[in-house]
Amino acid sequence: MSQKQLFELNNVNKSFTKGKEEITIFNGLNMSIKEGEFLAIMGPSGSGKTTLLNLLGGVDRPTAGDILFRGSPINNLSEGQLSKWRAEHIGFIFQFYNLMPMLNAARNVELPLLLKKLSRSQRRNSVDTALKLVGLEARAGHQPSELSGGQQQRVAIARAIVSDPTFLLCDEPTGDLDRATAVEILEILQLLNREFGKTIVMVTHDPAAAEYASRCLHLDKGEFIEKDLAA
Amino acid sequence: MGSLISQIQAVVAMNLRSLPQRIWMSLATLFAVAIVVAVLLAFLSMANGFQQTVKNTGSESLAVILRAGSQAELNSVITRDQVNLLSEAPGIVRGDKGPKVSAELYVTVDGIKRSSQTEVNLPLRGISESGISLREGFTIIEGRMFEPGKNEIVVGSSVLREFSGFELGNSLRFGKTTWTVVGVFEAGASVFASELWTDVRTLQSQFNRGSSAQVIRVALQQPGDIGAITEYIDKEPRLNMDVKTEAEYYQEQAKAMSDMIFFLGWPLAIAMALGALAGALNTMYNSVAQRAVEIATLRAIGFRGVSAFLGTLVESLVLAFIGGLLGTLAAFLLFDGISASTLGGSFTQIVFSFELSSDAFVQGITLAMIIGLVGGFFPALKASRVPVMVAFSVDP
């Protein structure tokens, strides 16, 4: 597994203004993520987990400091450049799946491919491969409302990996699922990390979910407490 | 560019496919637009129908001569001597029986409108055989022609349809005299079908007009050329008259009324359009709020803001377009071809049919699309600015 740095956060500050009050989330946060890692981020509500995920995903910008992706800062990119960067490098997996309710599973999975110059048959092949990987090839024509929560999350995973992104950002991917289904999802994520080399950053409240990661960072009041789970 | 088009297509398709989720609000907007368009088209078809009827009346081959300064036949007076003098003017067609000149008398009589049972003024025209020969498309469709010297009238087909009491054989009392309806005529979709006709000399006698007339119609040697007659009148001090082609005369008569209908219709439609616009804005803002997570998810995946903008705008335009089509269909079914009457230039009733023209159709759809465009623009702007963070940790 490559040990190159994928992300580096240098002295990142992040604060919000709420009314007249300024709320500081991060004050000089430093961290790095290596390529091929499966990183779990845990912490109580309000600790900054989702904010960190937003910063790594180019969805939010730091108030100060740098976020380097493969050595290049992403916090200076324009909105359009960030959209392009996200399309190229990130697969998002959300707690509530965020599937388009009017599209069937295959159409949902196809969405990221519409951002690339691919023919219809190329798109169809990629969709079939992704659905097969998550074990849902037989459900390609089903609407999200016809699928269980676990199946919907598997479709969401297929959507996240279909365009072969550099890394996956998972926001409480098992938060809405029962234990058995959660295990299925975590095993798929582990497979993607171990067999396909995908770097995964997963925010979770669940210690059992965090055990699937190779490294776990505990975030509390905007600061990290690191625990190594690789052993 | 190709990828942007794919994004836009995908978002537009998703928005349209999600319409059933907002079915009632979408239907409300759709119907609001339809009503606005239907009302506008009702006015436009009314103006168009009125204009067409009056336009059908005027011929370039005839000239209408009134006393100078008279706006209409009703307030003109022409003496017998003037008629005789004018018959000598150049530029008038001359046949075996002399110049083709018709001196006509035009008075108003009472009628009752069938639809409202209200009393209205109807034109009773005194006309001679030569006058009838100048009217193209004149046909007796029921009964017979009036006989000179008798209190007999023939009624236009539109009069029979819109006003009560003019059935064949009926006796009518105008002032102190009684008249009998002996025939019904058609006059080729012109205003003459809204008139009653009788012998000019009988009318002059019964209405104490001596030998005077109110209008002279002449057949022109060259269609549209009134130069020779105008020059003749200018040189003859006893003839203080205005000359127009019949087409020009009726166009002027129609203009004021059709302008009024037109300028009443548009402001009313615009006032209603503002209401529909509020509905469209509400629907589209609701649509954006309902799809905020979907929009943010697409943005997170890498879709650009412009695709969310256009997707929302197209949804609004599609709703407005369907509303516009429905409004047009409703206007066509409810108004096209219906008969109505209104006050013409001589304070008498003109019967006409509503006519939905292709121009009116285009104007109706244009108004619908403007509602859709403005009603969709600001919500679309909002859609393009939905923060991507909305996609995270939101319970749908």
Side-chain angles (χ1 to χ4, degrees):
Chain A
M1 203 173 282
S2 169
Q3 291 300 299
K4 282 183 188 167
Q5 299 283 11
L6 187 66
F7 271 110
E8 261 183 277
L9 272 68
N10 296 331
N11 287 319
V12 167
N13 291 357
K14 181 67 192 175
S15 53
F16 297 101
T17 308
K18 199 174 181 183
K20 287 179 182 174
E21 195 185 354
E22 188 166 290
I23 301 166
T24 301
I25 308 292
F26 300 126
N27 190 7
L29 184 78
N30 292 295
M31 77 173 289
S32 60
I33 301 170
K34 293 187 176 76
E35 292 209 24
E37 260 195 313
F38 185 167
L39 174 66
I41 299 171
M42 296 187 71
S45 293
S47 59
K49 300 188 301 294
T50 303
T51 306
L52 179 60
L53 203 72
N54 289 341
L55 291 172
L56 291 175
V59 167
D60 201 358
R61 293 170 191 273
T63 316
D66 282 324
I67 300 175
L68 305 179
F69 176 78
R70 287 179 173 161
S72 302
I74 60 164
N75 42 301
N76 302 329
L77 299 180
S78 68
E79 278 302 315
Q81 287 170 323
L82 275 175
S83 292
K84 215 170 170 183
W85 177 78
R86 283 196 299 268
E88 199 174 332
H89 295 291
I90 312 181
F92 283 99
I93 299 168
F94 304 94
Q95 180 178 0
F96 298 105
Y97 333 125
N98 293 24
L99 299 179
M100 305 296 139
M102 73 296 289
L103 302 181
N104 65 25
R107 290 278 188 188
N108 265 290
V109 175
E110 190 188 21
L111 284 171
L113 300 177
L114 298 175
L115 306 171
K116 299 182 183 303
K117 284 176 186 167
L118 296 173
S119 69
R120 190 171 288 189
S121 64
Q122 284 173 315
R123 292 204 300 262
R124 197 180 305 135
N125 287 341
S126 298
V127 168
D128 290 346
T129 307
L131 282 172
K132 202 170 177 184
L133 195 68
V134 296
L136 277 183
E137 64 270 38
R139 302 282 182 143
H142 286 63
Q143 299 295 122
S145 58
E146 297 165 338
L147 300 172
S148 68
Q151 287 170 332
Q152 288 189 53
Q153 193 59 298
R154 282 199 266 168
V155 173
I157 293 173
R159 180 179 66 188
I161 60 171
V162 72
S163 57
D164 195 23
T166 312
F167 68 108
L168 301 178
L169 280 183
C170 313
D171 182 22
E172 302 274 11
T174 57
D176 196 43
L177 302 172
D178 60 59
R179 175 52 53 197
T181 313
V183 167
E184 283 175 21
I185 296 299
L186 290 163
E187 281 174 352
I188 292 173
L189 291 178
Q190 205 165 47
L191 176 84
L192 290 170
N193 174 247
R194 288 181 181 171
E195 302 296 323
F196 296 91
K198 295 292 169 203
T199 306
I200 298 177
V201 179
M202 175 176 72
V203 162
T204 181
H205 271 105
D206 181 6
E211 283 176 17
Y212 284 81
S214 54
R215 187 160 68 113
C216 180
L217 291 174
H218 284 259
L219 201 55
D220 191 16
K221 294 174 187 165
E223 291 185 359
F224 285 122
I225 309 159
E226 192 165 339
K227 286 182 183 178
D228 196 344
L229 299 169
Chain B
M1 189 65 185
S3 118
L4 183 62
I5 291 169
S6 300
Q7 288 177 48
I8 292 166
Q9 281 175 341
V11 177
V12 167
M14 275 188 271
N15 282 17
L16 296 181
R17 289 166 81 165
S18 69
L19 271 176
Q21 292 170 7
R22 301 178 292 283
I23 187 75
W24 295 113
M25 288 206 81
S26 302
L27 281 178
T29 302
L30 204 136
F31 282 120
V33 173
I35 289 167
V36 171
V37 170
V39 168
L40 174 69
L41 292 191
F43 275 97
L44 293 182
S45 62
M46 195 192 298
N48 184 46
F50 182 81
Q51 217 161 23
Q52 288 301 321
T53 301
V54 179
K55 207 163 126 193
N56 285 341
T57 308
S59 164
E60 283 288 326
S61 304
L62 299 178
V64 170
I65 302 163
L66 300 173
R67 184 183 64 185
S70 300
Q71 297 300 310
E73 292 174 79
L74 198 64
N75 43 29
S76 166
V77 180
I78 299 170
T79 62
R80 183 72 239 167
D81 291 344
Q82 288 175 315
V83 174
N84 291 338
L85 265 174
L86 200 90
S87 301
E88 302 301 322
I92 298 174
V93 175
R94 287 164 207 286
D96 299 340
K97 295 176 183 174
K100 287 207 164 186
V101 174
S102 168
E104 297 169 10
L105 191 63
Y106 186 93
V107 299
T108 61
V109 295
D110 293 339
I112 303 290
K113 208 170 182 174
R114 285 184 196 276
S115 57
S116 59
Q117 291 299 305
T118 50
E119 207 168 271
V120 293
N121 287 336
L122 290 175
L124 173 57
R125 184 181 295 277
I127 194 166
S128 61
E129 199 182 323
S130 65
I132 290 165
S133 71
L134 294 179
R135 263 69 173 198
E136 282 176 21
F138 173 87
T139 342
I140 292 286
I141 55 168
E142 220 178 321
R144 60 172 174 80
M145 193 56 187
F146 58 79
E147 283 182 27
K150 289 185 176 176
N151 284 8
E152 291 179 347
I153 57 171
V154 289
V155 301
S157 53
S158 300
V159 173
L160 190 65
R161 191 173 66 239
E162 287 291 314
F163 305 98
S164 56
F166 293 97
E167 287 76 16
L168 193 64
N170 274 12
S171 289
L172 304 161
R173 194 153 181 85
F174 298 145
K176 292 175 182 172
T177 52
T178 303
W179 300 73
T180 307
V181 180
V182 296
V184 179
F185 68 90
E186 265 184 0
S190 69
V191 296
F192 299 127
S194 306
E195 295 182 350
L196 314 168
W197 283 4
T198 188
D199 171 46
V200 63
R201 293 196 188 285
T202 309
L203 191 63
Q204 284 168 333
S205 161
Q206 297 292 20
F207 278 72
N208 299 320
R209 298 294 176 96
S211 59
S212 69
Q214 280 165 293
V215 59
I216 302 170
R217 270 184 172 72
V218 300
L220 295 170
Q221 284 177 355
Q222 293 296 323
D225 183 8
I226 55 170
I229 302 175
T230 307
E231 198 179 336
Y232 176 79
I233 290 172
D234 288 346
K235 285 180 180 167
E236 174 53 73
R238 287 170 291 177
L239 293 176
N240 183 23
M241 292 169 171
D242 289 334
V243 188
K244 287 168 188 161
T245 66
E246 195 184 44
E248 191 187 352
Y249 171 76
Y250 279 107
Q251 263 165 25
E252 283 177 11
Q253 295 289 300
K255 196 175 183 315
M257 180 56 73
S258 56
D259 279 359
M260 195 184 83
I261 298 170
F262 186 84
F263 289 118
L264 189 69
W266 266 108
L268 185 68
I270 287 168
M272 290 180 70
L274 290 176
L277 187 62
L281 278 168
N282 193 26
T283 302
M284 295 316 300
Y285 273 125
N286 187 273
S287 164
V288 172
Q290 214 172 57
R291 291 182 296 108
V293 174
E294 290 166 24
I295 294 168
T297 304
L298 290 173
R299 297 288 314 281
I301 288 172
F303 278 63
R304 288 167 63 180
V306 68
S307 60
F309 176 86
L310 288 174
T312 306
L313 195 61
V314 169
E315 179 185 341
S316 175
L317 287 172
V318 166
L319 280 177
F321 183 70
I322 297 171
L325 282 182
L326 276 181
T328 307
L329 185 69
F332 184 75
L333 293 175
L334 293 172
F335 305 119
D336 194 51
I338 65 165
S339 183
S341 67
T342 190
L343 209 56
S346 289
F347 304 105
T348 55
Q349 294 288 306
I350 291 178
V351 179
F352 64 96
S353 295
F354 284 47
E355 271 185 49
L356 204 55
S357 66
S358 54
D359 269 4
F361 173 80
V362 170
Q363 288 181 57
I365 294 292
T366 304
L367 179 65
M369 296 308 271
I370 289 171
I371 295 171
L373 189 70
V374 179
F377 183 82
F378 296 101
L381 214 53
K382 191 178 176 185
S384 70
R385 292 172 181 172
V386 168
V388 187
M389 283 180 277
V390 171
F392 293 88
S393 302
V394 177
D395 195 347

